[in-house]
Amino acid sequence: YYLHGGGRANSVFGDGTLSSQAPADELSDHFDYDPERPVPSIGGNLSTASWAWSESGRDPTIAGPVDQRAIERRDDVLVYTSEELQEDVEVTGPLEVVLYAASSALDTDFTARLVDVHPSDTAIVMAEGIIRARFRNGFEKAELLEPGEVQQYRIQMYPTSNVFLKGHRIRVDISSSNFPRFSRNLNTGEDVATGTRMEVAHQTVLHSEEYPSHIILPIIPR
């Protein structure tokens, strides 16, 4: 399934779509990732549900199949949604998002979520993943980014097994943080263990004939 957009892709304000049709030339989508206000971990495969994510320290993370609409309304989350399914679609197996993106930062993260959107618009997370830009080509060697240069990111997601029912929609959310499940990237390219300085990263997600961002879904024939 290919990502299509044309400006801000957001479930409330934009028109990001997910389709089996490959993109032609389209406008890129943009968002700013500020490590001082990361996207909170809400739902998903968490083992740290007692951790607090808010500045007050009073709001614990919630694990499991949780509605994602609260974070999909943020201006640093891109949302791509399919048309209503005309029949049940079973997705069972490993998942991968192939993302073409550029950043203003020397290092940053990109995240992905697979979401099942119910007829009521409830958006239940099915799987998620993250990639750190400096390790986009493997963990053997750290490679910082050339700001503004388009790179391919292969975001491995945990396997899933779900039947997206007729009338439901398939959604992919793209951002740059999922905290505290994953540590924040401070966007400076400094040492991960000792760096403390933070910068805002200006992110660009492409979906075009040359840069066809997409999700690979293991669809099981009915």
Side-chain angles (χ1 to χ4, degrees), residues 2-129:
Y2 295 93
L3 279 57
H4 297 264
R8 260 290 301 148
N10 179 284
S11 60
V12 176
F13 303 109
D15 57 354
T17 59
L18 196 65
S19 169
S20 59
Q21 298 297 316
D25 288 334
E26 300 179 2
L27 296 175
S28 303
D29 291 325
H30 306 270
F31 67 95
D32 290 340
Y33 160 50
D34 182 352
E36 292 198 85
R37 54 179 299 268
V39 177
S41 303
I42 301 178
N45 185 17
L46 291 168
S47 60
T48 54
S50 62
W51 286 14
W53 62 266
S54 68
E55 292 181 2
S56 67
R58 298 176 181 174
D59 300 307
T61 55
I62 302 171
V66 177
D67 192 348
Q68 300 296 294
R69 284 178 293 179
I71 61 175
E72 290 174 343
R73 295 187 181 99
R74 291 173 57 112
D75 59 9
D76 55 357
V77 179
L78 304 179
V79 180
Y80 303 89
T81 311
S82 73
E83 297 290 336
E84 288 188 5
L85 298 175
Q86 300 305 304
E87 59 183 17
D88 294 353
V89 176
E90 179 183 345
V91 174
T92 297
L95 303 162
E96 183 179 51
V97 169
V98 180
L99 190 73
Y100 294 92
S103 178
S104 64
L106 292 175
D107 187 33
T108 194
D109 291 346
F110 286 100
T111 65
R113 281 187 174 95
L114 176 66
V115 177
D116 185 350
V117 183
H118 294 224
S120 63
D121 288 333
T122 303
I124 302 299
V125 60
M126 294 287 105
E128 53 197 342

Side-chain angles (χ1 to χ4, degrees), residues 129-198:
I130 190 169
I131 190 169
R132 182 142 295 188
R134 70 173 70 187
F135 298 122
R136 64 194 178 278
N137 294 318
F139 292 108
E140 293 79 14
K141 179 182 178 182
E143 300 176 65
L144 296 181
L145 295 172
E146 182 69 32
E149 186 174 280
V150 178
Q151 299 286 345
Q152 182 191 82
Y153 299 93
R154 305 189 76 96
I155 305 174
Q156 304 290 330
M157 307 170 75
Y158 282 104
T160 192
S161 183
N162 182 63
V163 177
F164 293 85
L165 298 175
K166 178 181 178 180
H168 287 220
R169 289 170 289 161
I170 300 172
R171 175 175 289 171
V172 172
D173 296 341
I174 300 294
S175 190
S176 286
S177 52
N178 183 348
F179 181 79
R181 182 179 177 191
F182 299 105
S183 65
R184 297 170 296 171
N185 195 315
L186 305 187
N187 297 329
T188 62
E190 296 174 355
D191 182 78
V192 173
T194 61
T196 58
R197 185 170 56 89
M198 299 186 190

